[in-house]
Amino acid sequence: MTIAAGTTTTVRRAADAPSLITEDDLPPARHFIDGTFVDPSTGRVIDVVDPCTENVIARIPEGTAEDIDRAVAAAVAAKGQWGRMTPRKRSELLHAIAGRVADNADLLSRLESANTGKPLAVSRDDVDMTVDTFRFMAGAVRATTSIAAGDYAENHLSLILREPLGVIGVVTPWNYPLLMAAWKIAPILAAGNTLVIKPSEQTPLSTLKFAELVEDFLPPGVLNVVNGYGAGAGARLAEHPDVNMIALTGSVNSGRAVARGAADSLKRVHLELGGKAPVVIFEDADLAAAASSLRVAGFWNSGQECGAACRVLVHESVADRFVEQLVGEVRALSVGEPQAGDDVEVGPMVSKAHFDRVTGYLERAPKEGVRVATGGGALDGPGYFVAPTVLVDVPEGAEVAREEIFGPVITVETFSDEEEAVRRANGVPLGLSASVWTENARRSHDIAARLDFGTVWVNSHLVLAGEVPWGGFKGSGYGRDLSLYALDDYSRTKHVMHNHER
Ligand code: NAD
């Protein structure tokens, strides 16, 4: 491939713009337990940093096992009443929550962008989808039934009941702090469970604000938020004997740790882990449509997206043409701080540690023969900005094609036939999502069926809807977010059999 490398991207700054948030916008820097914000068990705090400026914008308490135990006790005490509530009543409360979030969309978007650096367009979309998730679950829980009652053994009437599990522990990541919380909280509450959520230590502000905004709708103890690190508060939640299920969205290693912690109490485990989505582009695909779709799907949320279109496998006969179009799209991306304009498309990496991780991949890549077509490194600080990058000449099995980079980086590999495309697409341990690009319907059905991923798009990528499930295969975990499948995951079925012989 003959594209010349080079980065002309600069970070758009908003030096004179007012700060995104004021002191008044911040939630209380405490835990939310039993319906109120409470003092933590220790004075230890965690700095919350704005990744555009590297400034500390808040300090939250570092939750301990003691704080988790207190929150779980509140959730246990609340579960009976909440679980017995009719679906209609719970549905009304979820609708009320959706309305409150919608009314505070601007505040929540600004808070999310201040904490993560993500463009306001992304934060607004997150809040919009949060509202939709609560509305969907509010409706779905009223329409959910079990299979019809009947006599399946002579003179015995069987009823199949759907029950809440009890108390659910939830651990969320930093990439979509509010939205990932909503994907758990809405179905968990709809199904009649109570919960304790531990947001990412890096991005707790929108979850705490959410609790503050909806506290008057929920009985005390139904929703509890405990701040803290994974190894402390998160691990205690996973192992707690009174927690009936632990649901984590995060990295594969955290998933393993949570599953191990859950093993002794044999609680259910629900894991939404990493992704490394292949984008399989055949020679008959609409290349321009694929390139412009990847401008969004590869760089949405600065590539810090588990379904990001990050790994292109393109037929060798059209590879040069496709790369040229893709590079054109990527070079046109607008990188900047959230206040720099509504048209900013790419923000910084969420933290210094993550920035180092992403740039580390870019520094090592040339040693495996990989070439930079555009981007390829850090942008000027302050802040943790990385240039939108396309890597070409990527050999099979290269580190950048195998591991989840979770940044604004697309790799391009080539293949010569369908068998090779499918084998290489499936040749990673993760199985969250993938896409196929072809104008041939027989081929798209067949290839989609052979791809080992929980979601496969055809001539599209990263389009989600509340009605359809989201979740992975293989190393991407198990359990489903969104849709009726999530409601099902947070419920248990009970068979009650009546002898009515006379
Ligand atoms: P992370 O695993 O570092 O952290 C996620 C959460 O797990 C945090 O709250 C953290 O404190 C907690 N945690 C860490 N170790 C723990 C432990 N031992 N016990 C309990 N909790 C622990 O992940 P991250 O860096 O915040 O998020 C990025 C990862 O999340 C990526 O791998 C991404 O693919 C994945 N992700 C997946 C989805 C999905 O739907 N599949 C969605 C978003 C993010």
Side-chain angles (χ1 to χ4, degrees), residues 189-204:
L189 294 185
N193 307 282
T194 58
L195 71 116
V196 177
I197 180 169
K198 189 208 80 62
S200 166
E201 59 275 17
Q202 298 171 59
T203 55

Side-chain angles (χ1 to χ4, degrees), residues 46 90 95 190 216 220:
I46 302 171
R90 283 201 302 270
H95 275 302
D216 55 324

Side-chain angles (χ1 to χ4, degrees), residues 3-262:
I3 303 284
T7 298
T8 48
T9 313
T10 51
V11 179
R12 285 169 58 190
R13 301 283 176 181
D16 300 329
S19 168
L20 268 180
I21 52 167
T22 66
E23 282 288 316
D24 289 346
D25 294 331
L26 290 170
R30 303 165 91 190
H31 307 308
F32 181 76
I33 297 177
D34 208 13
T36 184
F37 282 94
V38 300
D39 288 333
S41 61
T42 74
R44 285 198 301 274
V45 293
I46 302 171
D47 287 345
V48 178
V49 175
D50 172 354
C52 289
T53 60
E54 307 179 34
N55 293 332
V56 174
I57 53 172
R59 289 197 166 83
I60 51 139
E62 180 190 330
T64 61
E66 204 180 312
D67 296 313
I68 290 287
D69 291 357
R70 191 173 164 195
V72 171
V76 169
K79 73 178 178 180
Q81 189 211 349
W82 182 255
R84 283 191 300 274
M85 220 177 243
T86 59
R88 174 181 171 169
K89 184 68 194 148
R90 283 201 302 270
S91 170
E92 283 166 359
L93 292 171
L94 292 188
H95 275 302
I97 290 172
R100 185 67 60 77
V101 171
D103 290 346
N104 289 276
D106 176 62
L107 166 62
L108 287 164
S109 307
R110 287 186 288 107
L111 208 50
E112 201 74 308
S113 283
N115 194 167
T116 60
K118 61 171 80 186
L120 279 166
V122 179
S123 294
R124 289 181 189 128
D125 187 73
D126 290 359
V127 176
D128 185 55
M129 283 181 69
T130 295
V131 173
D132 186 61
T133 304
F134 277 94
R135 290 206 172 123
F136 173 82
M137 291 299 168
V141 70
R142 296 190 68 184
T144 309
T145 55
S146 52
I147 62 171
D151 280 22
Y152 301 105
E154 206 171 324
N155 292 319
H156 282 72
L157 171 66
S158 287
L159 301 174
I160 296 172
L161 305 179
R162 177 188 288 269
E163 297 184 343
L165 289 166
V167 175
I168 317 270
V170 176
V171 179
T172 48
W174 47 256
N175 61 340
Y176 297 100
L178 180 66
L179 185 59
M180 292 303 101
W183 281 15
K184 307 295 186 209
I185 296 172
I188 286 171
L189 294 185
N193 307 282
T194 58
L195 71 116
V196 177
I197 180 169
K198 189 208 80 62
S200 166
E201 59 275 17
Q202 298 171 59
T203 55
L205 301 183
S206 55
T207 307
L208 288 168
K209 185 50 100 179
F210 172 85
E212 188 187 10
L213 288 171
V214 306
E215 94 187 90
D216 55 324
F217 292 134
L218 295 171
V222 169
L223 167 72
N224 305 276
V225 185
V226 176
N227 305 291
Y229 292 110
R236 176 60 185 158
L237 201 50
E239 74 184 18
H240 199 296
D242 295 337
V243 171
N244 304 97
M245 179 180 190
I246 183 84
L248 169 121
T249 300
S251 63
V252 175
N253 278 340
S254 303
R256 286 198 186 100
V258 159
R260 258 186 242 116

Side-chain angles (χ1 to χ4, degrees), residues 23 27 123 143 150 166 229 233 251 273 292 317 329 334 375 416 433 464:
E23 282 288 316
S123 294
Y229 292 110
S251 63
L273 308 177
S292 78
S317 64
E329 294 282 355
S334 167
S416 46
S433 62
L464 304 184

Side-chain angles (χ1 to χ4, degrees), residues 125-486:
D125 187 73
D126 290 359
V127 176
D128 185 55
M129 283 181 69
T130 295
V131 173
D132 186 61
T133 304
F134 277 94
R135 290 206 172 123
F136 173 82
M137 291 299 168
V141 70
R142 296 190 68 184
T144 309
T145 55
S146 52
I147 62 171
D151 280 22
Y152 301 105
E154 206 171 324
N155 292 319
H156 282 72
L157 171 66
S158 287
L159 301 174
I160 296 172
L161 305 179
R162 177 188 288 269
E163 297 184 343
L165 289 166
V167 175
I168 317 270
V170 176
V171 179
T172 48
W174 47 256
N175 61 340
Y176 297 100
L178 180 66
L179 185 59
M180 292 303 101
W183 281 15
K184 307 295 186 209
I185 296 172
I188 286 171
L189 294 185
N193 307 282
T194 58
L195 71 116
V196 177
I197 180 169
K198 189 208 80 62
S200 166
E201 59 275 17
Q202 298 171 59
T203 55
L205 301 183
S206 55
T207 307
L208 288 168
K209 185 50 100 179
F210 172 85
E212 188 187 10
L213 288 171
V214 306
E215 94 187 90
D216 55 324
F217 292 134
L218 295 171
V222 169
L223 167 72
N224 305 276
V225 185
V226 176
N227 305 291
Y229 292 110
R236 176 60 185 158
L237 201 50
E239 74 184 18
H240 199 296
D242 295 337
V243 171
N244 304 97
M245 179 180 190
I246 183 84
L248 169 121
T249 300
S251 63
V252 175
N253 278 340
S254 303
R256 286 198 186 100
V258 159
R260 258 186 242 116
D264 273 349
S265 60
L266 291 171
K267 63 171 59 69
R268 292 192 193 189
V269 180
H270 189 281
L271 299 174
E272 296 289 351
L273 308 177
K276 183 77 183 171
V279 178
V280 183
I281 302 177
F282 286 99
E283 63 281 8
D284 64 336
D286 180 340
L287 299 182
S292 78
S293 174
L294 262 57
R295 172 181 182 149
V296 179
F299 298 91
W300 186 255
N301 209 34
S302 312
Q304 302 168 124
E305 154 65 59
C306 45
C310 57
R311 184 186 173 216
V312 168
L313 287 153
V314 59
H315 191 267
E316 58 193 6
S317 64
V318 293
D320 282 352
R321 231 171 355 117
F322 175 70
V323 168
E324 194 180 327
Q325 297 186 42
L326 179 65
V327 165
E329 294 282 355
V330 173
R331 285 193 177 148
L333 280 163
S334 167
V335 180
E337 299 180 346
Q339 302 100 305
D342 279 351
D343 55 337
V344 171
E345 295 164 276
V346 177
M349 301 295 92
V350 76
S351 64
K352 173 74 165 66
H354 188 52
F355 169 87
D356 289 344
R357 211 179 141 265
V358 172
T359 51
Y361 279 113
L362 297 178
E363 279 156 21
R364 291 188 297 278
K367 295 186 190 124
E368 293 190 273
V370 172
R371 207 164 51 77
V372 174
T374 191
L379 295 171
D380 286 346
Y384 312 126
F385 292 90
V386 174
T389 296
V390 176
L391 300 177
V392 293
D393 297 346
V394 176
E396 183 170 2
E399 185 189 50
V400 285
R402 216 174 53 235
E403 295 189 12
E404 186 183 41
I405 299 174
F406 223 54
V409 182
I410 292 182
T411 60
V412 182
E413 300 163 70
T414 58
F415 64 86
S416 46
D417 61 41
E418 274 186 17
E419 289 311 311
E420 186 188 3
V422 173
R423 179 180 61 75
R424 288 175 66 168
N426 285 335
V428 286
L430 302 175
L432 186 57
S433 62
S435 62
V436 185
W437 295 78
T438 173
E439 296 296 300
N440 179 332
R442 285 175 195 255
R443 176 188 257 171
S444 66
H445 281 289
D446 178 45
I447 302 291
R450 289 159 64 195
L451 288 175
D452 220 359
F453 296 83
T455 294
V456 180
W457 292 278
V458 175
N459 295 327
S460 185
H461 199 111
L462 210 58
V463 178
L464 304 184
E467 290 81 354
V468 287
W470 176 255
F473 298 155
K474 304 196 296 187
S476 295
Y478 39 82
R480 291 294 175 265
D481 282 333
L482 301 176
S483 78
L484 292 177
Y485 293 92

